[in-house]
């Protein structure tokens, strides 16, 4: 009857290639039917069970423990195979024995004073500690490890920012710095496109496509997937945008992210506009808020982002921050939208949720808080044709009374800076809506002129064949002082140009010089060390082992002593 034997090596961590080599070597031994060598994660234990390799008496193992299992013809054969584990593991590392392999990051730092980057891929429970040591030694960190807590991520990134350093990650799979790929990276030619990405495979897809099109990458900076969350607040993304804005090799920037927190997106897009360089934005899983905005181009896909970046690289258009019709942008005050058309209000809300924060609405848009019906607070977009406003009164496309009173209310609020309206023409609509709205708009502008001043933007929907006389309607609104647009995209662009969230540049910006050429210390996966060697990068690999052999009780004692 087959016998299953096993070894547990607590806190041990080995490159996946080493694990595969060991598993293959064990399976070839006499008397061995099958073998498994895995980190003891729940998923890996399920795989072992499916292959009849899960030991019956297994308990107390966790994802940071190395589990070695053999199924043998006899108990003796299993024991003999497990006794050869150390010899088999050392065989795979024989080629590296002669190289300098410090046992600690401290020793590696002392022996490699010119290193500027530390790659960390140790188990998550130890990763923050290693990264913190690297930061305090003045090194940028590429943090591949996952299972790092959100609290540790914020703490690490804020400390790094105070020192003018980058933390890419945690769970950062890829980056290209100074032409050298870190982690999982494609070999791409160097060129004028800089990438900032909270998406590893997204970064690789865009970089590869840019290379396919004959262009190249200046720097590709991964941030970790949580960087644009509300908690982390885009610390690394904002540093990276500032860095690429100052990098003379970067002429076009691509910004990639999974759906960001709306208030964080508003800050990031403001920072992207402040770079003064063309920036292509791809927010995966979300509809682009508009096609272009000043120096920003919104792409619906990763391929589209790469294609647009290469186009801009070849033919960089001139762009200005603010349209001729507008005054100076403001960073205080709020936008208030009062729409009669629900779909128009919805489209504007969906677009502005990445540009304005805090934004409220009565349209139930995901990520946008519910607006107060009686009195606006912050940025607010209201559909005045919704049921809560039309009970017992005509629709605002027919009767302007409700909207007239609400315009006056918003204009009297000192916090209001911009009022957005729609005016929908056609059969069945009010016969002359501009005549109803123009006097109220004129009064609102006049009453607010002595303080910060209110501006009004109106999107007009209609045709020259409509009975209200399209041209006359527009002229009346413009004579009243409103800025008139023919699409919601133009209206959103007007808002984006007028509202300019404050952009706080890093007090300690990341210096450009240490980025290129790259010299690294690798702590964790040997695979990443081998990849750097293959790229002719200077790298020292640390023979890392968990403190106190992974014994948590002893670690706690050492921490109190130290």
């Amino acid at each position: 009857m087959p016998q299953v034997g096993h070894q547990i090596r607590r806190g041990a961590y080995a490159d996946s290639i080493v694990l595969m080599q060991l598993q293959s070597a064990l399976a070839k031994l006499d008397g061995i039917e099958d073998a498994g060598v895995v980190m003891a994660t729940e998923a890996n234990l399920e795989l072992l069970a499916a292959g009849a390799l899960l030991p019956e008496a297994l308990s107390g193992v966790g994802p940071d423990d190395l589990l070695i299992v053999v199924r043998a013809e006899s108990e003796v054969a299993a024991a003999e195979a497990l006794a050869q584990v150390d010899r088999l593991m050392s065989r795979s590392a024989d080629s590296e024995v002669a190289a300098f392999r410090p046992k600690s990051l401290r020793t590696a730092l002392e022996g490699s004073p010119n290193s500027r980057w530390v790659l960390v891929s140790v188990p998550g429970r130890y990763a923050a500690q290693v990264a913190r040591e690297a930061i305090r030694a003045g090194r940028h960190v590429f943090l591949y490890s996952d299972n790092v807590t959100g609290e540790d991520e914020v703490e690490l990134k804020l400390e790094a920012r105070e020192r003018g350093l980058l933390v890419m990650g945690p769970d950062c799979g890829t980056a290209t710095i100074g032409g050298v790929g870190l982690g999982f990276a494609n070999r791409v030619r160097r060129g004028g496109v800089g990438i900032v990405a909270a998406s590893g495979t997204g970064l690789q897809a865009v970089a590869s496509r840019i290379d396919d099109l004959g262009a190249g990458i200046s720097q590709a900076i991964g941030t970790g997937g949580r960087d644009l969350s509300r908690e982390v607040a885009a610390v690394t993304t904002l540093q990276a945008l500032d860095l690429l804005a100052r990098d003379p090799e970067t002429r076009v920037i691509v910004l990639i992210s999974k759906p960001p927190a709306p208030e964080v997106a508003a800050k990031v897009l403001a920072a992207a506009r402040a770079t003064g360089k063309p920036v292509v934005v791809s927010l995966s899983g979300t509809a682009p808020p508009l096609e272009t905005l000043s120096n920003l181009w919104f792409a619906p896909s990763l391929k589209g982002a790469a294609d647009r970046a290469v186009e801009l690289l070849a033919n960089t258009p001139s762009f200005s921050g603010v349209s001729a019709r507008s005054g100076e942008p403001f960073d205080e005050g709020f936008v208030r939208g009062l729409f009669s058309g629900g779909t128009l209000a919805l489209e504007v809300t969906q677009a502005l949720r990445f540009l304005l924060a805090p934004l409220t609405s009565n349209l139930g848009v995901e990520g946008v808080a519910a607006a107060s019906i009686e009195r606006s607070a912050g940025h607010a977009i209201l559909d005045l044709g919704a049921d809560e406003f039309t009970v017992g009164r005509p629709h605002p496309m027919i009767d302007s009374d409700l909207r007239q009173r609400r315009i006056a209310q918003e204009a009297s609020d000192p916090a209001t800076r911009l009022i957005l309206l729609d005016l929908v023409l056609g059969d069945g609509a009010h016969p002359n809506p501009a005549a109803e709205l123009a006097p109220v708009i004129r009064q609102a502008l006049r009453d607010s002129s002595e303080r910060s001043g209110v501006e009004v933007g109106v999107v007009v929907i209609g045709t020259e064949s409509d009975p209200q006389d399209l041209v006359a309607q527009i002229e009346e609104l413009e004579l009243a002082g409103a800025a008139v647009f023919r699409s919601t995209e133009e209206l959103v662009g007007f808002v984006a140009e007028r509202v300019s969230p404050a952009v706080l540049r890093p007090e300690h910006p990341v210096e450009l010089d240490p980025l290129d050429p790259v010299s690294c210390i690798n702590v964790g996966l040997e695979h990443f060390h081998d990849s750097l060697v293959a790229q002719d990068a200077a790298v020292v690999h640390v023979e890392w082992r968990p403190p106190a052999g992974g014994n948590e009780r002893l670690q706690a004692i050492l921490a109190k002593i130290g």
Side-chain angles (χ1 to χ4, degrees):
M1 180 176 178
Q3 298 292 316
V4 175
H6 72 279
Q7 280 187 5
I8 299 171
R9 301 202 171 192
R10 300 195 183 282
Y13 198 67
D15 187 283
S16 58
I17 293 178
V18 173
L19 299 184
M20 287 188 292
Q21 290 174 337
L22 175 60
Q23 179 174 306
S24 176
L26 286 169
K28 293 177 182 176
L29 295 176
D30 292 339
I32 300 300
E33 298 179 354
D34 201 357
V37 183
V38 298
M39 301 306 295
T41 64
E42 186 174 345
N44 285 336
L45 295 181
E46 291 176 359
L47 289 174
L48 291 177
L53 280 168
L54 186 64
E56 292 182 0
L58 186 66
S59 64
V61 295
D64 296 328
D65 299 326
L66 178 62
L67 178 60
I68 304 166
V69 186
V70 294
R71 188 174 66 237
E73 295 175 349
S74 65
E75 190 173 340
V76 173
E80 289 178 349
L82 293 172
Q84 300 185 58
V85 167
D86 287 331
R87 180 181 65 80
L88 295 173
M89 288 189 74
S90 64
R91 182 190 299 174
S92 65
D94 279 351
S95 61
E96 304 296 336
V97 169
F100 170 57
R101 294 216 161 189
K103 302 294 184 184
S104 69
L105 177 57
R106 177 185 299 178
T107 304
L109 291 165
E110 291 172 353
S112 306
N114 295 324
S115 62
R116 289 292 174 265
W117 290 86
V118 175
L119 281 67
V120 181
S121 53
V122 301
R125 59 196 282 199
Y126 305 109
Q129 181 181 344
V130 177
R132 189 174 293 109
E133 183 179 356
I135 292 167
R136 291 177 181 175
R139 267 54 168 198
H140 303 290
V141 172
F142 176 87
L143 185 50
Y144 171 81
S145 306
D146 54 12
N147 293 314
V148 175
T149 67
E151 292 77 9
D152 278 334
E153 179 176 353
V154 171
E155 183 181 312
L156 290 170
K157 289 186 170 181
L158 292 179
E159 181 166 355
R161 187 178 65 182
E162 286 300 305
R163 297 169 183 264
L165 300 169
L166 285 172
V167 172
M168 297 195 289
D171 201 15
C172 182
T174 183
T176 298
I177 302 297
V180 175
L182 308 181
F184 308 114
N186 302 96
R187 296 196 178 187
V188 295
R189 57 174 63 85
R190 300 199 66 172
V193 181
I195 302 175
V196 182
S199 167
T201 51
L203 187 156
Q204 289 189 264
V206 170
S208 297
R209 174 68 179 171
I210 288 171
D211 186 81
D212 285 345
L213 295 173
I217 305 301
S218 57
Q219 313 286 354
I221 301 172
T223 66
R226 293 187 304 216
D227 193 66
L228 271 69
S229 66
R230 185 175 292 107
E231 293 73 21
V232 185
V235 173
T236 301
T237 298
L238 295 174
Q239 285 181 287
L241 285 171
D242 176 70
L243 174 67
L244 295 181
R246 291 181 284 110
D247 179 15
E249 293 187 7
T250 300
R251 293 162 48 206
V252 175
I253 299 170
V254 177
L255 175 63
I256 307 166
S257 173
K258 298 162 187 165
E263 63 271 34
V264 177
K267 289 183 180 178
V268 169
L269 294 181
R273 291 170 62 191
T275 63
K277 295 182 178 180
V279 180
V280 183
V281 181
S282 177
L283 303 176
S284 301
T286 60
L290 63 170
E291 186 175 349
T292 64
L293 169 63
S294 183
N295 60 323
L296 306 187
W297 279 259
F298 293 89
S301 66
L302 298 172
K303 176 179 177 297
D307 292 354
R308 177 69 77 182
V310 174
E311 289 176 15
L312 292 169
L313 198 63
N315 183 24
T316 304
S318 59
F319 46 79
S320 58
V322 180
S323 66
R325 80 171 77 203
S326 303
E328 290 298 320
F330 57 89
D331 59 10
E332 294 182 353
F334 298 109
V335 176
R336 307 284 163 75
L338 307 170
F339 288 82
S340 63
T343 301
L344 300 176
L346 177 62
E347 191 167 77
V348 169
T349 302
Q350 289 176 326
L352 292 183
R353 64 184 167 147
F354 293 123
L355 300 174
L356 304 178
L359 177 65
T360 61
S361 172
N362 66 330
L363 287 143
V365 176
E366 183 178 359
V368 178
S372 167
I373 302 303
E374 290 77 21
R375 184 164 296 279
S376 300
H379 302 291
I381 304 296
L382 296 178
D383 169 19
L384 298 182
D387 290 349
E388 57 266 31
F389 288 109
T390 56
V391 175
R393 61 163 62 100
H395 193 278
M397 285 178 60
I398 301 172
D399 183 351
S400 299
D401 177 65
L402 172 61
R403 192 148 64 155
Q404 288 173 322
R405 287 189 282 113
R406 193 66 186 241
I407 291 171
Q409 176 184 319
E410 300 294 354
S412 68
D413 182 350
T416 302
R417 291 297 306 274
L418 196 55
I419 295 175
L420 308 180
L421 307 170
D422 61 349
L423 190 144
V424 183
L425 309 178
D427 291 319
H430 191 284
N432 190 1
E436 297 271 300
L437 293 179
V440 186
I441 293 172
R442 191 176 291 108
Q443 186 67 42
L445 298 180
R446 186 163 49 238
D447 291 347
S448 65
S449 60
E450 293 182 359
R451 49 181 175 83
S452 57
V454 168
E455 296 178 69
V456 177
V458 185
V459 56
V460 176
I461 305 299
T463 71
E464 293 182 354
S465 301
D466 286 330
Q468 291 90 348
D469 189 341
L470 173 65
V471 174
Q473 294 289 310
I474 291 174
E475 287 179 349
E476 186 152 7
L477 292 171
E478 290 180 334
L479 284 173
V484 178
F485 306 91
R486 296 306 313 282
S487 71
T488 54
E489 181 164 323
E490 292 177 359
L491 184 68
V492 170
F494 170 66
V495 175
E497 289 179 347
R498 298 298 298 115
V499 179
S500 179
V503 177
L504 299 177
R505 300 203 180 272
E507 187 175 350
H508 304 286
V510 178
E511 294 183 9
L512 291 168
D513 290 345
L515 294 179
D516 187 10
V518 171
S519 56
C520 306
I521 294 173
N522 183 59
V523 188
L525 296 174
E526 287 191 40
H527 184 61
F528 290 160
H529 162 265
D530 297 342
S531 171
L532 290 166
V533 170
Q535 297 177 74
D536 295 325
V539 57
V540 172
H541 181 69
V542 176
E543 290 282 6
W544 183 86
R545 293 290 181 273
N551 185 311
E552 294 184 358
R553 186 166 176 269
L554 183 56
Q555 288 174 23
I557 294 173
L558 292 174
K560 289 180 180 179
I561 296 173

